Amino acid sequence: MPSFLAQWFQHFSALNSRQRHAFLACLLGWSLDAFDYFILVMCVSAIARDFQAAVPAVTQALFLTLAFRPVGALLFGAMADRFGRRPTLMINIGCFSILELACAFAPSLHVLLILRALFGIAMGGEWGVGAALALESLPKEGRGFFSGLLQEGYALGYLLAALTYLALFTHIGWRGMFVVGAAPAVLVAYIGLKVEESPVWVEHRASRATDENRPSFGQNLRRYGLTFLFLILLMTGFNSFSHGTQDLYPTFLQHDHGLSPRLTGTIAVIYNIGAILGGLSFGGLSERFGRKPAIIGAALLSIPIIPLFALAHSLPLLVAGAFLMQFMVQGAWGVVPAYLSELSPKPVRATFPGLAYQLGNLITSRNSVLQAEAAVHLKGYGKVLAFTVLVVAAYLVLVTSLGRESKGADLAAG
């Protein structure tokens, strides 16, 4: 462990001030974006009670958020490729903060569903733009480590949502939770004051100014179509892996095991610590062994954890299973920002990864609804979660094995 921590310190100490600010802004942007998403995840049962609706009806909000994220990925990704990563990221964060605040005042479930669809557009833009700005600003050395840390902003956001739920839910209710979720707006000022534009984008803009025949996005899509298709298939598996194990896990703990909101929040904190550690660990391992072996290894290791994660009956075993499962799920995810950025051509690097990511989300966007409906039929969530992990892990291993290795690719080229 000391050598592991020394490696982290070595990577950070090698960054200059501009690089640190760019990475921190993107990490916080992704964390707070996820924080706003997982506030809803933590409050599904409470919202259902308040609106006198069934849980599957409320999970439609999760479906709509995921389904509309590709729109945001395309919109904000195209803006970032044309106008720059930095201003686009500021606009994007401002949008999802305002929409999160609006959710606190939804007078009905119908209005909440509309607001979550709009929130999905804003949420869909952040990852691709932030990953492009961060990874284009950082040195090639240690990219796997920074990829793991950047992606675990998602788990950090879930952790913050769980801590907020644990500390405040009984006092402020689900509407108050959404008010707290407007906090990311403060990050816009930090980006405006401290973060510089991606040097790769600045260089590319200068070259575009002298190139009258630069290809359109549609031409680039046709040119790199097979790569784009692979990224979509890959992200379909990844999104099923994360959302299939996370979105209904709090509901599983409360419904199948009768746990209180406070205990549910505590367990969510524990398994998100596991998620963060997993992303950092496998992100670093991908720097040593390659992107593909790290993804495949994490996916395979999730399978023997299924009995603890979804089928155990004692609380200690459930907690251990949740911790280990998210360690592996987010371990695989820790490789994603580097892998997608390295596989994506420079002219569309803010659009391709984010759009592929969110199209994968779109394909799997009804997963939580289908899982909830299956759980009603089976009178419990455990078997549904177990089946999800088994099928998705196998799919992810298969698709990843078909891709090419990309470790060490030059992001300034291509």
Side-chain angles (χ1 to χ4, degrees), residues 245-322:
T245 58
Q246 293 171 346
D247 288 5
L248 292 180
Y249 203 73
T251 305
F252 159 70
L253 293 174
Q254 293 177 8
H255 180 275
D256 286 20
H257 295 277
L259 302 188
S260 67
R262 184 173 184 83
L263 189 52
T264 300
T266 301
I267 295 173
V269 168
I270 293 171
Y271 65 68
N272 276 291
I273 291 173
I276 293 169
L277 293 175
L280 293 175
S281 299
F282 279 89
L285 288 172
S286 78
E287 199 68 15
R288 182 176 180 182
F289 298 106
R291 312 305 187 210
K292 290 176 58 177
I295 294 171
I296 291 172
L300 287 175
L301 287 170
S302 71
I303 295 175
I305 302 169
I306 291 173
L308 289 176
F309 170 70
L311 304 175
H313 295 289
S314 75
L315 185 59
L317 291 179
L318 277 173
V319 173

Side-chain angles (χ1 to χ4, degrees), residues 24 40 43 80 117 129 135 175 227 238-239 246 250 264-265 281 323 331 342 350-351 391 397 414:
L24 181 60
L40 176 62
C43 295
V129 177
L135 295 177
R175 294 184 184 275
T227 297
F238 267 107
N239 282 297
Q246 293 171 346
T264 300
S281 299
F323 178 92
E342 289 165 347
T351 307
V391 172
V397 169

Side-chain angles (χ1 to χ4, degrees), residues 4 11 16 25 34 41 77 87 95 102 130 191 197 264 267 293 302 315 334 338-339 380 391 408:
F4 196 34
H11 287 310
N16 58 36
V41 169
C95 287
I191 296 173
E197 185 55 81
T264 300
I267 295 173
S302 71
L315 185 59
Y339 193 40
V391 172

Side-chain angles (χ1 to χ4, degrees), residues 68-135:
F68 277 84
R69 278 165 66 167
V71 179
L74 181 59
L75 173 63
F76 289 102
M79 288 174 58
D81 281 327
R82 182 174 179 84
F83 302 110
R85 306 350 185 174
R86 176 177 169 271
T88 303
L89 188 61
M90 294 170 66
I91 294 171
N92 180 257
I93 292 172
C95 287
F96 75 69
S97 299
I98 292 170
L99 288 165
E100 183 77 0
L101 179 62
C103 290
F105 302 97
S108 65
L109 180 58
H110 181 71
V111 173
L112 181 64
L113 294 178
I114 293 172
L115 289 171
R116 294 315 285 186
L118 295 173
F119 174 82
I121 296 175
M123 185 180 186
E126 204 285 337
W127 187 89
V129 177
L133 175 58
L135 295 177

Side-chain angles (χ1 to χ4, degrees), residues 24-68:
L24 181 60
C26 297
L27 173 64
L28 290 174
W30 185 224
S31 298
L32 295 173
D33 198 1
F35 171 73
D36 284 357
Y37 175 80
F38 281 108
I39 282 177
L40 176 62
V41 169
M42 300 301 298
C43 295
V44 165
S45 296
I47 294 171
R49 286 194 301 270
D50 194 24
F51 288 132
Q52 298 182 338
V55 167
V58 178
T59 60
Q60 295 286 349
L62 300 176
F63 155 66
L64 289 169
T65 298
L66 298 179
F68 277 84

